């Protein structure tokens, strides 16, 4: 069996955290090689074989690998024993329209799917709780990271001071050119535009076009909740610039594979 090539993160003892790369799978073309997202048009058999290979590498069964059907909103789902006991169809329904998952269950890998958007992993080292967040620009504007930390506190008693955070591979400031309406959305929601945006020269726009630093916007949300700066790591990978290794919808088109960024509490 082909083994997927994963990029691992060091978040602490008792937890495995990673982002998948494009290498080590069964998908072809713009989906090649490793993609486990069922919602982007890839061959179903290739996705099944890729999931099987990942589960084997993580030493879990397929029903313990959970990824929501994301819709760029802020709905969060708690993965607990009740959910894990549901038939697969009912569980999938619970994961519909969800952009963040959290759990304190061991042996269950939760994760999100991205191809330029921001994946964020959180690990509460005190109460052993993990969270995986999909923060596209719309989710970032709606502060999904702040809402996720608040939900962890509400459900598990998590304290921000105990969180170790990893922001995964995503589009960089240089590559994330936006229209004025996107810039205005961030400004309206109170983001410090003088530090999270910059105008770059553009051939068709003499005054230049705005670029926004999405990783920094999400890092600042973590800081705002009380997560210490020293406990927040940001991947240096720009998915657009490194699309040979990581999927990028801007570079490859939306009919392409997705990065899976997952986190797993060990038994």
């Amino acid at each position: 069996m082909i083994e997927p090539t994963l990029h691992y993160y060091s978040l602490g003892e008792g937890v495995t955290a990673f982002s998948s790369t494009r290498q080590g799978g069964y998908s072809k073309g713009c989906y090649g090689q490793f993609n486990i997202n069922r919602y982007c048009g890839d061959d179903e058999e290739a996705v099944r074989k890729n999931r099987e290979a990942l589960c084997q590498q993580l030493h879990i069964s397929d029903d313990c690998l959970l990824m929501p059907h994301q819709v760029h909103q802020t709905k969060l789902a708690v993965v607990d024993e009740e959910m894990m006991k549901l038939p697969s169809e009912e569980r999938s329904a619970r994961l519909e329209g969800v952009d963040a998952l959290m759990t304190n269950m061991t042996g269950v890998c939760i994760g999100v799917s991205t191809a330029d958007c921001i994946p964020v992993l959180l690990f509460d080292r005190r109460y052993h709780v993990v969270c995986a967040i999909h923060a596209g620009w719309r989710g970032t504007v709606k502060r999904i990271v702040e809402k996720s930390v608040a939900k962890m506190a509400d459900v598990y008693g998590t304290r921000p001071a105990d969180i170790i955070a990893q922001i995964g591979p995503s589009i960089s400031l240089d590559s994330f050119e936006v229209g004025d309406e996107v810039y205005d959305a961030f400004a309206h929601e109170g983001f410090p535009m003088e530090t999270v945006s910059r105008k770059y020269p553009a051939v068709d726009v003499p005054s230049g076009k705005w670029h926004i630093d999405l990783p920094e916007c999400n890092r600042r949300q973590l800081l705002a909740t009380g997560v210490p700066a020293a406990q927040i790591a940001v991947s240096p990978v720009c998915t657009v610039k490194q699309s040979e290794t990581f999927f990028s919808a801007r570079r490859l088109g939306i009919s392409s594979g997705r990065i899976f960024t997952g986190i797993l509490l060990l038994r």
Side-chain angles (χ1 to χ4, degrees):
M1 177 176 289
I2 300 174
E3 291 190 357
T5 300
L6 306 179
H7 179 79
Y8 288 97
Y9 306 110
S10 180
L11 270 65
E13 293 185 9
V15 64
T16 294
F18 63 90
S19 290
S20 64
T21 68
R22 293 182 61 181
Q23 282 70 51
Y26 297 88
S27 297
K28 306 294 183 182
C30 287
Y31 298 100
Q33 301 168 314
F34 185 81
N35 168 62
I36 65 167
N37 188 307
R38 293 191 173 108
Y39 308 109
C40 60
D42 196 3
D43 177 74
E44 290 185 9
E45 179 61 14
V47 170
R48 185 196 67 77
K49 291 170 71 175
N50 287 335
R51 283 181 62 97
E52 182 181 6
L54 177 59
C55 289
Q56 187 174 75
Q57 189 161 329
L58 297 175
H59 305 292
I60 61 174
S61 59
D62 185 80
D63 64 342
C64 289
L65 177 61
L66 302 185
M67 178 180 69
H69 187 192
Q70 303 154 190
V71 292
H72 295 271
Q73 295 298 320
T74 60
K75 184 178 178 181
L76 309 125
V78 175
V79 177
D80 53 17
E81 290 186 8
E82 177 194 0
M83 179 183 285
M84 294 305 295
K85 289 178 181 177
L86 292 174
S88 59
E89 289 186 3
E90 290 185 38
R91 190 189 307 161
S92 294
R94 291 274 190 98
L95 299 177
E96 182 67 32
V98 170
D99 282 85
L101 298 176
M102 57 190 66
T103 191
N104 64 352
M105 297 186 68
T106 60
V108 176
C109 181
I110 58 173
V112 291
S113 182
T114 62
D116 292 334
C117 291
I118 317 300
V120 183
L121 299 178
L122 307 178
F123 172 48
D124 174 351
R125 60 188 176 184
R126 175 181 292 268
Y127 293 115
H128 281 247
V129 178
V130 292
C131 181
I133 306 163
H134 164 248
W137 77 259
R138 291 177 178 83
T140 299
V141 164
K142 294 176 181 178
R143 301 184 184 275
I144 187 172
V145 166
E146 291 184 26
K147 291 176 180 178
S148 296
V149 173
K151 185 72 171 180
M152 289 173 71
D154 182 53
V155 176
Y156 302 107
T158 293
R159 302 184 308 180
D162 295 322
I163 290 177
I164 309 297
Q166 176 69 55
I167 296 174
S170 60
I171 196 168
S172 66
L173 171 68
D174 289 348
S175 300
F176 190 46
E177 177 186 294
V178 302
D180 288 346
E181 73 284 356
V182 176
Y183 176 93
D184 291 343
F186 278 84
H188 182 265
E189 291 301 321
F191 285 85
M193 304 311 293
E194 67 280 0
T195 57
V196 302
S197 66
R198 187 185 307 166
K199 264 195 174 179
Y200 281 54
V203 175
D204 56 333
V205 181
S207 61
K209 289 188 176 180
W210 286 111
H211 287 234
I212 292 179
D213 191 338
L214 284 183
E216 177 62 13
C217 288
N218 285 282
R219 190 185 76 89
R220 285 177 174 269
Q221 287 186 53
L222 289 167
L223 291 173
T225 68
V227 178
Q231 293 167 203
I232 305 171
V234 182
S235 170
V237 171
C238 171
T239 46
V240 176
K241 295 177 181 178
Q242 296 175 243
S243 59
E244 292 183 359
T245 303
F246 296 92
F247 289 110
S248 166
R250 285 211 171 192
R251 181 59 60 86
L252 301 169
I254 59 172
S255 296
S256 59
R258 303 290 188 268
I259 302 161
F260 180 73
T261 297
I263 190 162
L264 167 71
L265 287 170
L266 304 178
R267 297 183 188 280

